[in-house]
Amino acid sequence: MTKVTMTVNGKAASGEVEGRTLLVSFLRETLGMTGTHVGCDTSQCGACVVHVDGKAVKSCAMLALEAEGAEVATIEGQAAADGTLNTIQAAFQEHHGLQCGFCTPGMVMSAAALLKDNPKPSEAEIRHYLEGNLCRCTGYHNIVKAIMAASGQDVSAIAAE
Amino acid sequence: MPKDIDAKESGIGAASKRREDIRFLSGTGNYTDDINLNGQAYVHFLRSDVAHGRITSIETAEAAAMPGVLRIFTGADFEGVGSIPCGWQVTDRFGEVMQEPAHPVLAQGKVRHVGDPIAAVVAETAEAARDAAEAIELDIEELPAVVDMKAALAEGAPKVHDDLTSNLCYDWGFVEDNKAAVNAAFEAAAHVTSLELVNNRLVANPMEPRVAVGDFNRATGDSTLYTTSQNPHVIRLLMGAFVLGIPEHKLRVVAPDVGGGFGSKIFHYAEEAFCTFAAKALNRAVKWTSSRSEAFMSDAHGRDHVTKIELALDADNNFTALRTDTLANMGAYLSTFAPSVPTWLHGTLMAGNYKTPLIYVNVKAVFTNTVPVDAYRGAGRPEATFQLERVIDKAALELGVDPIALRRQNFITEFPYATPVAVEYDTGDYVATMDKLEEIADIAGFAARRAESERAGKLRGLGVNCYIEACGIAPSNLVGQLGARAGLYESATVRVNATGGIVVMTGSHSHGQGHETSFPQVIASMIGIDENMVEIEHGDTNNAPMGMGTYGSRSLAVGGSAMVRATEKIIAKAKKIAAHLMEAADADIELKDGQFSVAGTDKSVAWGDVTLAAYVPHNYPLEEIEPGLEETAFYDPSNFTYPSGAYACEVEVDPETGKVSIARFAAADDFGNIVNPMIVDGQVHGGIGQGIGQALLEGCVYDENGQLLSASFMDYAMPRADDVPFYEVDHSCQTPCTHNPLGVKGCGEAGAIGSPPAVVNAVVNALRSAGKDVTHIDMPLSPARVWAAMQG
């Protein structure tokens, strides 16, 4: 076992891990932060997306030890301290961009990374960017719409919620 | 934007935003894998890597001695434990009951599909359990496997179950008495169209893999199972009564937040029984978390029908008879509801939206060395819709008539309508939904869009179809006659607290459907209070008295109806209390906007005054009624509900590669009354996404030896955001259900039922526009298949 230390949502976090321990396991099991989910074992589904040093990362495809000293951001740190949802989270609720909620943390974290690099993405750009995030409930309609709305675009002409 | 969106601010008909979203969006949901109990151990299952074989030895001693291993279980530990039960017994066309094999928790003697669990290692950590499972020495004598259904039925085929007479589960005919008349109608037909097709095998793949945590309290002797289920009470009944012999009062089953189900989480699985059993044996909580790879080889699969369908028409193009012949894959064991899917959920829907007077359906269900097959979103109804709507399109081609006109000509237009396949549609308006579809899909503008695509070097096709489904499952006395081993009612307890807030404990389960938002809208409208005064509790057998769960688009139609009935009892009692408080007659009390008033006077008391009186009964008719305000109701539907609709898909096909792109998709549905239009739209979107997945991308593939080739998201093509367009959906055509109190029909499965034929019809239409003589391509319509079809 090796000690690993990182910053998670602005707070220092550390724990003992095996060399094979994945970042997602460290978050979920060592730190008890279960907001980040595991939906597959081939890095396809994106339910485990977090930000490491500002970049979207599939936390099932990174060892905990590789995040030594890194700044990690997860879904638990997205809302304000008083629970107020951020712009992306609020748009997902407003536009019914989630149903079962299991893919949602990864979707929100991916959307945040997209909008950081591309503040006004087109529908096609959003769909392309979400290639690594699977959702089985929504048919993606309201996810794409919510991200467009979160970026300040007028979505009223798009078919119903 | 449909006219009803935001038309109301709250209550029935309002697009209320979902309250459950807050926890899901902030990472504070409570899914089963988020539950960790004190002293919890972990199990890893050693699964068969061959499709069919005899276990000749299992050596566990070395593995058991590895660090952290608590115990290794094999089939021998489960001798005397019950078989995983099947919940439906089909009777065949000769009056014989189906062949029903045993389904052990861990393999006993033989393995019958890749993924069949053989041994289970329980250890201090998941890693230790996995490491030890790899150290088990296992010898399996591999046996010839049957994968193809026709081969499985051939004389001398290897038998999946040695103690059964063959691999035929049942040979079902429906309606057997109509067979001769149907055949005679075909003899007399002016035209017969026939089509052979495959309804491709699918894997439900909710994004949350299955998880089970078993727990045991030695002090009380109580067992608890936390599980990813759509119906915890059903699991309690099946596992408690049939597998482990635990009475309901000693067994609690909790299904907390569940990350999607789509049918695959209805069934009782071996892993649930194992964790509950092992927790007692070890006096430790035992947790299993499925990997996605395990899910592919242990979650029940869906569809997998091979069908020949024939449609007879008279000289005026009226449908005169329909005849189908289907092989339905059961896999290696009978999953919970598997026998009902190709029979009562499929044959009864073969009339579709059409007044075909004579119908005969034959289904042979077949055991193979594959994962069990059971209900997946739509369950039997997509299979029925696909073949019917494909054969109609082919008939239109052969006759040179417009496929929409041919459908319109044969629509059922008078209701109630008794079909020749035993069901009675209460309401519907198929002309109205087709009219609406033509409008929202802009069918009139298709020719111009096709010309534009052609200028860009693409082939464009339009596919249209209708669907009907049977939801709100189901009248218990009817399904009992059809072989169901359970009732299909629902229960609800409505608990009103002293200060007026309400908790509803329902047997329905939400795993994405938004019950926590939509159910309170109903009660808020009935009483005239704010939705936020009502909270829904679900997913725990310690709450609702009983529950048959959520599947078959039944939650609001059946579970919602139970809640309405219980709320009606609440209101009746509250009126008596109000009458006492205002010294008036019960019959004169009116309830509106949360105020009880005496008709014709200005006297009134508020909802909260009455609820407080119920719990602080100082001024209260104690000689007439009990204190407190809590009521329970069980609701058993008198019929199925029959949502219907018309769907249109436009595709672009790249003639160089065969790649299909969905250019437009429109759905006009009739779900009866609507409680939350935003949630209804979302349900349709999701269903369409899955239907497009089935039509273009998804296919579960076995090789001839029974190896599962599509066992990960690397191999099984799930629909992604750039595979689908925005969908145009509409549910303004509303013919309310006549036999439930809300007039609702159900909307959960429609999209998955209605969309695959639209896609295939569109691709065939596109290819024919380029002069290709193509009448059918089997799903999934991969570029390779479409390209091959274009080469003739």
Side-chain angles (χ1 to χ4, degrees):
Chain A
M1 300 287 265
T2 309
K3 188 176 182 191
V4 64
T5 302
M6 62 189 80
T7 305
V8 180
N9 298 329
K11 291 182 190 152
S14 65
E16 297 283 326
V17 297
E18 291 186 62
R20 62 180 167 178
T21 303
L22 301 171
L23 177 58
V24 68
S25 307
F26 177 73
L27 293 170
R28 286 184 57 81
E29 288 151 34
T30 309
L31 301 184
M33 298 175 69
T34 55
T36 302
H37 295 156
V38 180
C40 76
D41 44 15
T42 52
S43 302
Q44 295 282 302
C45 80
C48 66
V49 169
V50 299
H51 296 177
V52 177
D53 292 332
K55 294 221 176 323
V57 164
K58 287 182 174 171
S59 60
C60 75
M62 182 172 183
L63 297 170
L65 290 171
E66 290 179 287
E68 173 68 32
E71 297 269 351
V72 176
T74 73
I75 189 69
E76 285 95 339
Q78 297 302 297
D82 68 354
T84 305
L85 300 180
N86 74 16
T87 306
I88 296 169
Q89 291 169 310
F92 269 68
Q93 186 191 28
E94 177 68 21
H95 297 284
H96 190 26
L98 64 152
Q99 290 181 26
C100 82
F102 197 79
C103 77
T104 307
M107 287 288 179
V108 169
M109 297 309 288
S110 282
L114 167 64
L115 296 187
K116 194 173 147 204
D117 292 343
N118 183 355
K120 287 269 185 293
S122 66
E123 178 199 344
E125 286 173 333
I126 293 170
R127 291 185 185 278
H128 181 71
Y129 189 86
L130 294 181
E131 198 267 343
N133 289 82
L134 293 176
C135 168
R136 196 55 154 168
C137 292
T138 64
Y140 301 101
H141 183 110
N142 285 338
I143 291 176
V144 176
K145 189 174 175 181
I147 295 172
M148 292 178 80
S151 72
Q153 300 182 66
D154 180 4
V155 295
S156 58
I158 297 170
E161 315 282 339
Chain B
M1 185 174 282
K3 61 182 186 309
D4 49 5
I5 290 266
D6 292 334
K8 294 185 67 178
E9 287 180 2
S10 69
I12 292 174
S16 300
K17 304 306 174 198
R18 298 199 329 166
R19 57 181 79 178
E20 47 271 75
D21 289 358
I22 304 296
R23 66 178 189 270
F24 296 145
L25 281 161
S26 52
T28 52
N30 182 36
Y31 298 88
T32 310
D33 194 42
D34 302 341
I35 294 171
N36 294 296
L37 303 178
N38 281 338
Q40 165 181 292
Y42 298 81
V43 59
H44 185 88
F45 290 96
L46 175 67
R47 297 178 183 276
S48 178
D49 59 6
V50 301
H52 195 194
R54 203 171 304 285
I55 300 167
T56 51
S57 76
I58 310 178
E59 282 298 328
T60 59
E62 193 180 319
M66 288 174 67
V69 175
L70 295 167
R71 184 167 160 188
I72 298 178
F73 295 80
T74 66
D77 295 295
F78 284 82
E79 284 169 13
V81 171
S83 171
I84 305 289
C86 178
W88 203 296
Q89 184 179 58
V90 165
T91 300
D92 75 7
R93 65 197 186 90
F94 309 105
E96 301 290 326
V97 297
M98 66 185 191
Q99 295 206 82
E100 188 171 357
H103 184 183
V105 174
L106 294 176
Q108 299 195 357
K110 270 178 80 170
V111 289
R112 297 185 176 85
H113 66 84
V114 168
D116 211 356
I118 297 167
V121 181
V122 182
E124 297 288 353
T125 66
E127 291 78 9
R130 194 167 62 221
D131 290 347
E134 286 179 10
I136 294 174
E137 290 178 31
L138 176 68
D139 279 324
I140 294 183
E141 175 201 344
E142 200 167 343
L143 299 170
V146 284
V147 178
D148 177 75
M149 288 190 279
K150 279 183 188 151
L153 293 180
E155 195 72 29
K159 284 199 289 184
V160 178
H161 295 277
D162 301 341
D163 54 338
L164 302 186
T165 59
S166 70
N167 292 319
L168 179 67
C169 178
Y170 55 74
D171 176 355
W172 184 76
F174 185 66
V175 173
E176 196 64 20
D177 291 345
N178 290 349
K179 191 175 180 182
V182 170
N183 290 342
F186 271 88
E187 292 294 320
H191 184 84
V192 173
T193 296
S194 66
L195 180 60
E196 292 186 35
L197 49 80
V198 173
N199 203 292
N200 42 328
R201 187 180 183 109
L202 303 177
V203 182
N205 277 322
M207 293 318 301
E208 178 203 33
R210 287 190 296 120
V211 181
V213 188
D215 193 22
F216 182 69
N217 183 332
R218 191 167 272 181
T220 61
D222 291 346
S223 294
T224 302
L225 171 69
Y226 301 88
T227 184
T228 47
S229 177
Q230 300 175 216
N231 31 239
H233 291 82
V234 174
I235 303 305
R236 182 182 66 171
L237 179 66
L238 294 176
M239 183 176 80
F242 296 96
V243 186
L244 299 180
I246 309 173
E248 286 97 324
H249 66 286
K250 304 303 284 181
L251 174 60
R252 176 183 176 202
V253 178
V254 181
D257 287 331
V258 172
F262 314 112
S264 69
K265 292 174 181 167
I266 298 171
F267 323 120
H268 175 41
Y269 287 98
E271 296 87 355
E272 295 171 318
F274 178 83
C275 289
T276 310
F277 178 89
K280 184 174 182 183
L282 296 167
N283 198 30
R284 295 274 297 266
V286 174
K287 181 174 189 174
W288 171 69
T289 301
S290 175
S291 68
R292 182 59 60 183
S293 304
E294 268 186 299
F296 273 100
M297 55 177 142
S298 68
D299 290 6
H301 293 176
R303 314 283 192 261
D304 205 352
H305 286 195
V306 176
T307 293
K308 180 182 180 188
I309 180 168
E310 298 167 285
L311 176 65
L313 301 95
D314 68 15
D316 297 323
N317 297 340
N318 298 309
F319 304 163
T320 56
L322 188 74
R323 189 162 63 188
T324 75
D325 213 336
T326 288
L327 295 179
N329 207 334
M330 294 286 103
Y333 303 100
L334 289 178
S335 177
T336 307
F337 286 121
S340 68
V341 174
T343 51
W344 301 110
L345 295 177
H346 163 249
T348 51
L349 273 299
M350 283 314 307
N353 309 58
Y354 312 102
K355 51 191 177 194
T356 314
L358 288 162
I359 296 174
Y360 179 73
V361 176
N362 182 262
V363 178
K364 295 182 182 69
V366 186
F367 293 111
T368 60
N369 292 110
T370 63
V371 172
V373 180
D374 205 328
Y376 166 61
R377 199 170 193 168
R381 290 150 289 177
E383 295 90 321
T385 302
F386 183 70
Q387 52 183 290
L388 179 61
E389 295 295 327
R390 284 292 302 124
V391 82
I392 292 171
D393 245 44
K394 188 170 181 228
L397 276 180
E398 291 173 355
L399 295 165
V401 298
D402 174 60
I404 295 177
L406 181 62
R407 286 179 169 85
R408 284 181 178 274
Q409 175 184 339
N410 285 282
F411 275 159
I412 295 160
T413 52
E414 291 179 12
F415 297 86
Y417 177 80
T419 72
V421 276
V423 292
E424 182 173 288
Y425 303 160
D426 58 344
T427 53
D429 187 343
Y430 309 146
V431 173
T433 45
M434 184 59 88
D435 288 348
K436 178 55 71 176
L437 179 76
E438 293 205 34
E439 173 197 328
I440 64 170
D442 183 28
I443 302 286
F446 171 70
R449 293 190 293 274
R450 169 175 274 176
E452 195 178 321
S453 295
E454 286 174 351
R455 280 195 292 278
K458 299 284 174 64
L459 308 177
R460 195 174 185 106
L462 169 66
V464 170
N465 63 271
C466 301
Y467 78 89
I468 175 99
E469 61 165 327
C471 297
I473 296 171
S476 293
N477 54 3
L478 172 65
V479 296
Q481 291 170 30
L482 305 182
R485 288 164 166 161
L488 286 169
Y489 50 81
E490 195 52 86
S491 81
T493 294
V494 175
R495 176 177 298 161
V496 183
N497 294 310
T499 58
I502 296 173
V503 176
V504 180
M505 286 158 279
T506 171
S508 297
H509 186 278
S510 181
H511 31 279
Q513 296 89 341
H515 298 168
E516 292 171 38
T517 299
S518 59
F519 278 32
Q521 292 180 244
V522 173
I523 294 194
S525 282
M526 290 178 74
I527 300 175
I529 55 175
D530 190 285
E531 288 167 30
N532 293 315
M533 289 176 68
V534 186
E535 200 80 24
I536 302 299
E537 287 188 1
H538 63 94
D540 188 338
T541 57
N542 273 10
N543 291 346
M546 185 54 181
M548 296 314 296
T550 287
Y551 42 82
S553 308
R554 70 192 299 274
S555 294
L556 195 58
V558 188
S561 295
M563 179 181 70
V564 168
R565 291 287 184 248
T567 306
E568 287 168 351
K569 293 184 194 179
I570 292 283
I571 291 171
K573 184 172 178 181
K575 282 183 173 177
K576 284 185 194 295
I577 301 168
H580 179 88
L581 293 175
M582 294 186 282
E583 298 176 337
D586 298 355
D588 292 337
I589 303 298
E590 294 170 349
L591 172 62
K592 191 169 179 242
D593 297 334
Q595 291 283 326
F596 296 91
S597 57
V598 181
T601 76
D602 59 357
K603 283 205 270 187
S604 74
V605 288
W607 169 251
D609 297 330
V610 171
T611 62
L612 189 64
Y615 288 93
V616 187
H618 297 165
N619 175 18
Y620 195 87
L622 285 166
E623 61 287 356
E624 290 174 43
I625 50 176
E626 297 169 6
L629 202 50
E630 173 171 322
E631 298 287 350
T632 292
F634 280 64
Y635 179 83
D636 203 293
S638 60
N639 191 357
F640 291 86
T641 64
Y642 300 96
S644 62
Y647 283 24
C649 178
E650 281 183 36
V651 296
E652 273 194 339
V653 180
D654 183 336
E656 302 295 323
T657 64
K659 169 138 176 65
V660 177
S661 304
I662 308 288
R664 293 164 65 95
F665 203 104
D669 293 292
D670 175 0
F671 296 132
N673 293 335
I674 300 289
V675 171
N676 184 320
M678 176 193 81
I679 288 175
V680 169
D681 286 348
Q683 292 292 305
V684 177
H685 294 159
I688 294 171
Q690 290 182 349
I692 290 173
Q694 170 167 28
L696 292 186
L697 300 162
E698 298 178 42
C700 179
V701 181
Y702 282 91
D703 75 7
E704 66 275 15
N705 299 317
Q707 278 300 329
L708 179 57
L709 301 181
S710 53
S712 79
F713 286 154
M714 304 286 278
D715 313 296
Y716 184 96
M718 293 276 280
R720 293 169 194 263
D722 58 1
D723 293 316
V724 295
F726 283 127
Y727 318 107
E728 191 71 44
V729 303
D730 182 281
H731 38 72
S732 61
C733 299
Q734 297 177 355
T735 60
C737 171
T738 56
H739 56 79
N740 65 44
L742 292 167
V744 297
K745 294 186 172 182
C747 65
E749 297 161 295
I753 295 169
S755 52
V759 177
V760 180
N761 288 349
V763 173
V764 170
N765 179 256
L767 267 46
R768 293 187 72 87
S769 75
K772 307 293 182 188
D773 184 24
V774 176
T775 55
H776 180 71
I777 307 172
D778 274 325
M779 303 184 289
L781 272 58
S782 61
R785 285 185 177 181
V786 174
W787 188 85
M790 282 193 288
Q791 311 314 306

